[in-house]
Amino acid sequence: FEADIVLKDARTDLAVLRIKAKEKFPTLDFANSDNLLVGDVVLAVGNPFGVGQTVTHGIVSALARTQVGISDYQFFIQTDAAINPGNSGGALVDMNGKLVGSNTAIFSRSGGSQGIGFAIPANMVRVVVASAEQGGKAVARPWLGARLQAVTPDIAETLGLARPIGALVANVVPGSPAARGGLKLSDLIVAVDGQTVDDPNAFGYRFATRPIGGSVSVEVQRNG
């Protein structure tokens, strides 16, 4: 089908298309991707190598993969469902027939599937779609107003942590939402709305999927 690009977002490597056709298409509902668990069975739908629509199945191998290096928002569902060239943009579907992710990349030495595929969580896809539905030409995202840094083993030892975890506040912009919310230099952010934050990438995802103008509960450790 011919299609128009309604919105494209390089930061997530996602685009919203409007298909030029008169027929009515079946649709998938969004699942809450935060409810996924390691071991859940999933289906990957796509057109690998141009052979035609193909469905593969596997499990969720890991959640919150943040060191993949393919977009600004590093937070991916990892699956062993076979994902090959041509699957990108295809649906990752749960056993209730709902969209849990959008397939985006693989780790491979051969160019084909070796059981390590990645999908953008549906909650991030939902943000991009919502911006398109509202007529925006770019994705509107919340602004924190603070710079965060990763916790190194040395920093973890200084803070008395058993292991490196969380996002360390390295700078707070005066008058920003972070400042008004009470964040201070050297605070360690460990959770957003009760969900654990392992590193700044995890915080970036959690924060970016929250609605504009809303509020979040941020749990921090301060001075021990």
Side-chain angles (χ1 to χ4, degrees), residues 11 73 124 127 139-145 177 203-216:
R11 297 187 68 185
Y73 289 101
M124 180 60 83
V127 169
V139 179
R141 294 186 172 91
W143 178 57
L144 175 65
F203 177 86
Y205 168 80
R206 296 292 179 202
F207 196 69
T209 53
R210 297 310 189 263
I212 298 291
S215 61
V216 294

Short mmCIF file of all heavy atoms in Angstrom, two decimals, residues 11 73 124 127 139-145 177 203-216:
data_model
loop_
_atom_site.label_atom_id
_atom_site.label_comp_id
_atom_site.label_asym_id
_atom_site.label_seq_id
_atom_site.Cartn_x
_atom_site.Cartn_y
_atom_site.Cartn_z
N ARG A 11 14.51 9.91 17.59
CA ARG A 11 15.00 9.56 18.93
C ARG A 11 14.55 8.16 19.37
O ARG A 11 15.23 7.51 20.15
CB ARG A 11 14.55 10.60 19.95
CG ARG A 11 15.11 11.99 19.68
CD ARG A 11 14.79 12.95 20.79
NE ARG A 11 15.53 12.59 22.01
CZ ARG A 11 15.38 13.20 23.18
NH1 ARG A 11 14.50 14.19 23.29
NH2 ARG A 11 16.08 12.83 24.23
N TYR A 73 16.58 6.50 23.25
CA TYR A 73 15.93 5.89 24.40
C TYR A 73 16.30 4.41 24.46
O TYR A 73 15.81 3.59 23.71
CB TYR A 73 14.41 6.08 24.34
CG TYR A 73 14.02 7.51 24.60
CD1 TYR A 73 13.70 8.36 23.56
CD2 TYR A 73 14.04 8.02 25.89
CE1 TYR A 73 13.38 9.69 23.79
CE2 TYR A 73 13.71 9.35 26.14
CZ TYR A 73 13.40 10.17 25.10
OH TYR A 73 13.09 11.48 25.33
N MET A 124 6.19 3.07 24.86
CA MET A 124 6.90 4.12 24.13
C MET A 124 6.26 4.33 22.77
O MET A 124 6.12 5.46 22.29
CB MET A 124 8.38 3.76 23.98
CG MET A 124 9.19 4.81 23.22
SD MET A 124 9.19 6.44 24.01
CE MET A 124 10.49 6.22 25.22
N VAL A 127 3.27 6.61 23.01
CA VAL A 127 3.58 8.04 23.12
C VAL A 127 3.72 8.67 21.73
O VAL A 127 3.21 9.76 21.46
CB VAL A 127 4.87 8.26 23.94
CG1 VAL A 127 5.34 9.71 23.84
CG2 VAL A 127 4.64 7.89 25.40
N VAL A 139 7.31 14.68 18.46
CA VAL A 139 6.82 14.06 19.69
C VAL A 139 7.07 15.00 20.87
O VAL A 139 8.20 15.45 21.09
CB VAL A 139 7.52 12.71 19.94
CG1 VAL A 139 7.03 12.08 21.25
CG2 VAL A 139 7.25 11.76 18.78
N ALA A 140 6.02 15.32 21.61
CA ALA A 140 6.14 16.16 22.80
C ALA A 140 6.48 15.28 24.00
O ALA A 140 5.81 14.28 24.24
CB ALA A 140 4.84 16.92 23.05
N ARG A 141 7.54 15.66 24.71
CA ARG A 141 7.99 14.85 25.85
C ARG A 141 8.15 15.74 27.08
O ARG A 141 8.45 16.92 26.98
CB ARG A 141 9.32 14.18 25.54
CG ARG A 141 9.25 13.14 24.43
CD ARG A 141 10.58 12.42 24.28
NE ARG A 141 10.45 11.31 23.36
CZ ARG A 141 10.68 11.41 22.05
NH1 ARG A 141 11.04 12.57 21.53
NH2 ARG A 141 10.55 10.35 21.27
N PRO A 142 8.01 15.14 28.26
CA PRO A 142 8.23 15.89 29.49
C PRO A 142 9.69 16.34 29.60
O PRO A 142 10.59 15.68 29.07
CB PRO A 142 7.89 14.89 30.59
CG PRO A 142 7.19 13.76 29.94
CD PRO A 142 7.65 13.74 28.53
N TRP A 143 9.90 17.45 30.30
CA TRP A 143 11.25 17.96 30.56
C TRP A 143 11.52 17.86 32.05
O TRP A 143 10.75 18.35 32.87
CB TRP A 143 11.36 19.42 30.09
CG TRP A 143 12.70 20.02 30.38
CD1 TRP A 143 13.91 19.56 29.96
CD2 TRP A 143 12.97 21.21 31.14
NE1 TRP A 143 14.92 20.39 30.42
CE2 TRP A 143 14.37 21.40 31.15
CE3 TRP A 143 12.14 22.13 31.81
CZ2 TRP A 143 14.97 22.47 31.80
CZ3 TRP A 143 12.74 23.19 32.46
CH2 TRP A 143 14.14 23.36 32.45
N LEU A 144 12.63 17.25 32.40
CA LEU A 144 12.99 17.08 33.80
C LEU A 144 13.71 18.31 34.35
O LEU A 144 13.39 18.81 35.43
CB LEU A 144 13.88 15.85 33.97
CG LEU A 144 14.44 15.60 35.37
CD1 LEU A 144 13.32 15.30 36.35
CD2 LEU A 144 15.46 14.46 35.35
N GLY A 145 14.70 18.80 33.60
CA GLY A 145 15.47 19.93 34.08
C GLY A 145 16.60 19.53 35.01
O GLY A 145 16.98 20.27 35.91
N PRO A 177 11.26 21.73 36.63
CA PRO A 177 10.42 20.77 37.35
C PRO A 177 11.21 19.98 38.39
O PRO A 177 10.71 19.71 39.49
CB PRO A 177 9.90 19.87 36.23
CG PRO A 177 9.88 20.75 35.02
CD PRO A 177 11.09 21.63 35.16
N PHE A 203 15.71 5.58 33.65
CA PHE A 203 14.94 6.75 34.09
C PHE A 203 14.39 7.50 32.88
O PHE A 203 13.23 7.91 32.87
CB PHE A 203 15.80 7.71 34.92
CG PHE A 203 15.04 8.95 35.31
CD1 PHE A 203 14.27 8.96 36.46
CD2 PHE A 203 15.06 10.09 34.51
CE1 PHE A 203 13.53 10.10 36.80
CE2 PHE A 203 14.33 11.22 34.85
CZ PHE A 203 13.56 11.22 36.00
N GLY A 204 15.24 7.68 31.85
CA GLY A 204 14.80 8.41 30.65
C GLY A 204 13.57 7.80 30.02
O GLY A 204 12.65 8.50 29.61
N TYR A 205 13.52 6.47 29.96
CA TYR A 205 12.35 5.78 29.41
C TYR A 205 11.13 6.00 30.29
O TYR A 205 10.05 6.36 29.81
CB TYR A 205 12.63 4.30 29.25
CG TYR A 205 11.39 3.49 28.96
CD1 TYR A 205 10.85 3.44 27.68
CD2 TYR A 205 10.74 2.80 29.98
CE1 TYR A 205 9.69 2.72 27.42
CE2 TYR A 205 9.58 2.08 29.73
CZ TYR A 205 9.06 2.04 28.45
OH TYR A 205 7.92 1.34 28.20
N ARG A 206 11.29 5.76 31.60
CA ARG A 206 10.16 5.90 32.51
C ARG A 206 9.59 7.32 32.45
O ARG A 206 8.38 7.52 32.44
CB ARG A 206 10.59 5.59 33.94
CG ARG A 206 11.05 4.15 34.17
CD ARG A 206 9.91 3.19 34.06
NE ARG A 206 10.35 1.82 34.27
CZ ARG A 206 9.69 0.76 33.82
NH1 ARG A 206 8.57 0.91 33.14
NH2 ARG A 206 10.15 -0.45 34.04
N PHE A 207 10.47 8.30 32.41
CA PHE A 207 10.04 9.70 32.42
C PHE A 207 9.38 10.08 31.09
O PHE A 207 8.35 10.76 31.07
CB PHE A 207 11.23 10.60 32.71
CG PHE A 207 10.86 12.00 33.11
CD1 PHE A 207 10.24 12.25 34.32
CD2 PHE A 207 11.11 13.07 32.27
CE1 PHE A 207 9.88 13.55 34.69
CE2 PHE A 207 10.76 14.37 32.62
CZ PHE A 207 10.14 14.60 33.83
N ALA A 208 9.98 9.61 29.98
CA ALA A 208 9.48 9.99 28.66
C ALA A 208 8.12 9.38 28.33
O ALA A 208 7.42 9.88 27.46
CB ALA A 208 10.49 9.60 27.58
N THR A 209 7.75 8.31 29.02
CA THR A 209 6.46 7.68 28.74
C THR A 209 5.35 8.21 29.65
O THR A 209 4.22 7.71 29.59
CB THR A 209 6.55 6.15 28.90
OG1 THR A 209 7.10 5.82 30.19
CG2 THR A 209 7.43 5.55 27.82
N ARG A 210 5.66 9.21 30.45
CA ARG A 210 4.64 9.82 31.28
C ARG A 210 3.98 10.98 30.53
O ARG A 210 4.63 11.63 29.70
CB ARG A 210 5.22 10.33 32.61
CG ARG A 210 5.80 9.24 33.51
CD ARG A 210 4.81 8.08 33.69
NE ARG A 210 5.23 7.12 34.71
CZ ARG A 210 5.87 5.98 34.47
NH1 ARG A 210 6.20 5.66 33.23
NH2 ARG A 210 6.17 5.16 35.45
N PRO A 211 2.71 11.28 30.80
CA PRO A 211 1.99 12.31 30.04
C PRO A 211 2.48 13.72 30.35
O PRO A 211 2.86 14.02 31.49
CB PRO A 211 0.53 12.13 30.46
CG PRO A 211 0.61 11.47 31.80
CD PRO A 211 1.82 10.59 31.77
N ILE A 212 2.46 14.58 29.31
CA ILE A 212 2.80 15.99 29.49
C ILE A 212 1.82 16.61 30.49
O ILE A 212 0.61 16.39 30.43
CB ILE A 212 2.70 16.74 28.14
CG1 ILE A 212 3.70 16.15 27.13
CG2 ILE A 212 2.95 18.23 28.33
CD1 ILE A 212 5.14 16.42 27.45
N GLY A 213 2.36 17.40 31.42
CA GLY A 213 1.51 18.07 32.38
C GLY A 213 1.10 17.22 33.56
O GLY A 213 0.39 17.68 34.46
N GLY A 214 1.53 15.96 33.57
CA GLY A 214 1.20 15.08 34.68
C GLY A 214 2.24 15.19 35.79
O GLY A 214 3.04 16.13 35.83
N SER A 215 2.21 14.25 36.69
CA SER A 215 3.19 14.24 37.77
C SER A 215 3.67 12.81 37.98
O SER A 215 2.98 11.85 37.64
CB SER A 215 2.59 14.79 39.06
OG SER A 215 1.49 13.99 39.47
N VAL A 216 4.88 12.69 38.52
CA VAL A 216 5.43 11.39 38.83
C VAL A 216 5.98 11.40 40.25
O VAL A 216 6.38 12.45 40.77
CB VAL A 216 6.57 10.98 37.86
CG1 VAL A 216 6.04 10.77 36.46
CG2 VAL A 216 7.70 11.98 37.87
#
